[in-house]
Amino acid sequence: QKLAMLALTTVAPWLGTRLRGVAQRLEAREGDSRVSWLIRWYLRSLWPWASRVHAVCSVLNLLAFVRTGFFPTIADRLLGVRLVHIDPTARRQVSFQYMNRVMIWNGLSEFLTTVMPLINLAQIRQSISRRYFTAARSAPDATTEPLDAQGDIDVRCGFCGASPAMVPVRSGCGHSFCYFC
């Protein structure tokens, strides 16, 4: 089991990287031999397919690990390796699997709290609606803003609801707000 773990975690990634580098160098050379055909097939068909399968398996394993708390890596799952205490008679309040699960959730939540402010959700929503819901948009000559009783454009603050907004400011998404709000 130890040798299989070594092969899956160290030798297999190194061998894949090495084969890809050698195949790229050999592909750069000219030649129409059977070996060059095999190298082109490896680089254009087998390698992308194998990397996609590995990525899907990694995501599925992550989801299974988050749900159950067992087998944090694909190699652990394939070999059935579980973390256990060295002394089985030792009394432990929390298992290693639970601690791994908590650490994964904490890492995921920290990652999301770091990345989410950097994502412009309004722009993503606008591009999706522009791409997929173009028929639902109004005609270009029609006004899209609400009108008040006199027929003027109603500039209502999105926060405080004041109409008209005091010193109105329009945001990037098209909403109007009071300058002070």
Side-chain angles (χ1 to χ4, degrees):
Q1 196 176 24
K2 290 178 184 178
L3 290 176
M5 183 62 101
L6 175 71
L8 284 175
T9 59
T10 306
V11 176
W14 174 81
L15 189 62
T17 304
R18 181 77 175 141
L19 279 175
R20 185 159 170 82
V22 168
Q24 285 175 344
R25 280 194 296 280
L26 289 176
E27 186 184 32
R29 295 181 184 170
E30 293 296 321
D32 289 331
S33 67
R34 185 164 176 79
V35 173
S36 66
W37 176 84
L38 183 66
I39 290 169
R40 278 195 296 273
W41 174 77
Y42 170 75
L43 285 175
R44 294 187 184 138
S45 299
L46 185 64
W47 181 261
W49 179 81
S51 63
R52 281 192 299 267
V53 167
H54 182 266
V56 168
C57 289
S58 295
V59 168
L60 292 175
N61 185 63
L62 175 68
L63 293 174
F65 172 69
V66 168
R67 180 170 169 75
T68 62
F70 298 116
F71 309 118
T73 64
I74 295 174
D76 292 344
R77 187 168 297 278
L78 289 175
L79 298 174
V81 175
R82 292 184 54 189
L83 297 173
V84 294
H85 200 278
I86 292 174
D87 184 12
T89 60
R91 187 153 167 81
R92 295 210 33 98
Q93 298 296 332
V94 179
S95 71
F96 285 113
Q97 302 299 334
Y98 174 75
M99 288 190 290
N100 283 343
R101 190 178 193 176
V102 168
M103 288 182 358
I104 289 290
W105 275 114
N106 287 344
L108 183 64
S109 66
E110 287 177 11
F111 172 74
L112 289 176
T113 56
T114 303
V115 170
M116 286 307 289
L118 302 175
I119 297 173
N120 188 352
L121 293 177
Q123 183 179 10
I124 292 171
R125 188 179 319 123
Q126 186 179 26
S127 66
I128 288 172
S129 65
R130 213 181 287 142
R131 182 171 294 164
Y132 296 112
F133 304 115
T134 55
R137 287 193 298 179
S138 62
D141 57 339
T143 62
T144 56
E145 298 192 17
L147 301 175
D148 63 4
Q150 289 89 16
D152 297 329
I153 294 176
D154 182 23
V155 181
R156 180 179 299 271
C157 178
F159 284 115
C160 67
S163 177
M166 295 186 60
V167 189
V169 176
R170 187 173 304 269
S171 67
C173 62
H175 293 91
S176 298
F177 303 101
C178 295
Y179 176 78
F180 303 103
C181 290

